[in-house]
Amino acid sequence: MNNKLVIVLIAILFIIPASFAFELNSNELSRSICQGNTLLFTANVFGEGYYNVNLDGSASSWSTAVPNGFILKNNARQIYIYSTPNNNVNPGRYNLNLIVSNDLETKTIPFTINVENCHGLQLTGDKLKEICGGSVVSYNYQIKNIGNYKEDFQLILNGPKFITLSQDRISLNPGETKNFYVYISQNSESAKFTVSASNKYGTAE
């Protein structure tokens, strides 16, 4: 075997693995989101050959990557990763790994998704009053929606029958505050009662 042939073979051995090498990167690795919304991560692949795309991690069951396979000829391709935590996904921190591979190499980008509690309410008002028998007294309460969505709240009163609510349901836009009342009848006596406002996302009392 002459020297020229040896040089050519060595060059081929270096060129072949290089042709399968690729670059994988993303500009954003962590984002926050509310339940029910969709966020988008993007990643860029540059290289040569056929590529498979997969996801794993605690957020993978409610995430998808597009496309899940493609061919590159010494050029670039963008991957889109969509994540939609539904209302059953608890607030917290979740990991999502983007895994891209070809015949010789596998690379991973770790993303972090912070699912926030975007539903909240605040309940304030009267706690103690001294009243005289034979009079009707009202307790004033304010309920505020401190979440990000329009919410319907069920108002519940636990107490004696001579104590009543002005209403049993209230609807609030984000940031909105409304008043409701508890009435003590003329035939009242010393007693304790509890007022609460709730929906499927939480309760205040």
Side-chain angles (χ1 to χ4, degrees), residues 13-74:
L13 290 175
F14 278 102
I15 291 171
I16 292 176
S19 68
F20 285 92
F22 67 95
E23 295 296 325
L24 176 66
N25 60 71
S26 178
N27 292 328
E28 191 172 22
L29 299 179
S30 179
R31 292 188 64 184
S32 298
I33 189 174
C34 297
Q35 295 166 316
N37 289 352
T38 298
L39 64 78
L40 171 65
F41 290 110
T42 60
N44 300 297
V45 182
F46 181 85
E48 181 90 14
Y50 179 79
Y51 295 87
N52 288 303
V53 179
N54 293 287
L55 297 173
D56 75 2
S58 54
S60 60
S61 61
W62 34 271
S63 301
T64 185
V66 180
N68 56 21
F70 53 87
I71 296 174
L72 293 179
K73 295 183 178 180
N74 199 30

Side-chain angles (χ1 to χ4, degrees), residues 151-169:
E151 305 276 11
D152 293 322
F153 298 99
Q154 180 74 32
L155 304 179
I156 301 170
L157 171 67
N158 289 316
K161 292 183 179 180
F162 58 80
I163 304 175
T164 57
L165 269 174
S166 60
Q167 61 200 97
D168 60 8
R169 186 174 292 275

Side-chain angles (χ1 to χ4, degrees), residues 136-155:
V136 177
V137 177
S138 65
Y139 284 65
N140 184 23
Y141 295 94
Q142 300 81 42
I143 179 172
K144 182 177 182 179
N145 180 1
I146 57 175
N148 293 32
Y149 304 98
K150 183 178 181 179
E151 305 276 11
D152 293 322
F153 298 99
Q154 180 74 32
L155 304 179

Side-chain angles (χ1 to χ4, degrees), residues 37-127:
N37 289 352
T38 298
L39 64 78
L40 171 65
F41 290 110
T42 60
N44 300 297
V45 182
F46 181 85
E48 181 90 14
Y50 179 79
Y51 295 87
N52 288 303
V53 179
N54 293 287
L55 297 173
D56 75 2
S58 54
S60 60
S61 61
W62 34 271
S63 301
T64 185
V66 180
N68 56 21
F70 53 87
I71 296 174
L72 293 179
K73 295 183 178 180
N74 199 30
N75 59 346
R77 180 67 184 260
Q78 194 164 60
I79 300 172
Y80 301 91
I81 303 99
Y82 300 93
S83 296
T84 307
N86 58 41
N87 291 329
N88 296 321
V89 176
N90 294 323
R93 185 175 179 177
Y94 296 83
N95 66 294
L96 180 65
N97 297 316
L98 170 66
I99 304 169
V100 180
S101 61
N102 60 13
D103 290 339
L104 294 180
E105 192 175 11
T106 297
K107 292 188 177 182
T108 301
I109 295 180
F111 296 103
T112 299
I113 300 173
N114 297 302
V115 179
E116 298 180 338
N117 182 5
C118 299
H119 304 272
L121 68 154
Q122 198 173 64
L123 184 61
T124 58
D126 298 326
K127 293 185 178 180

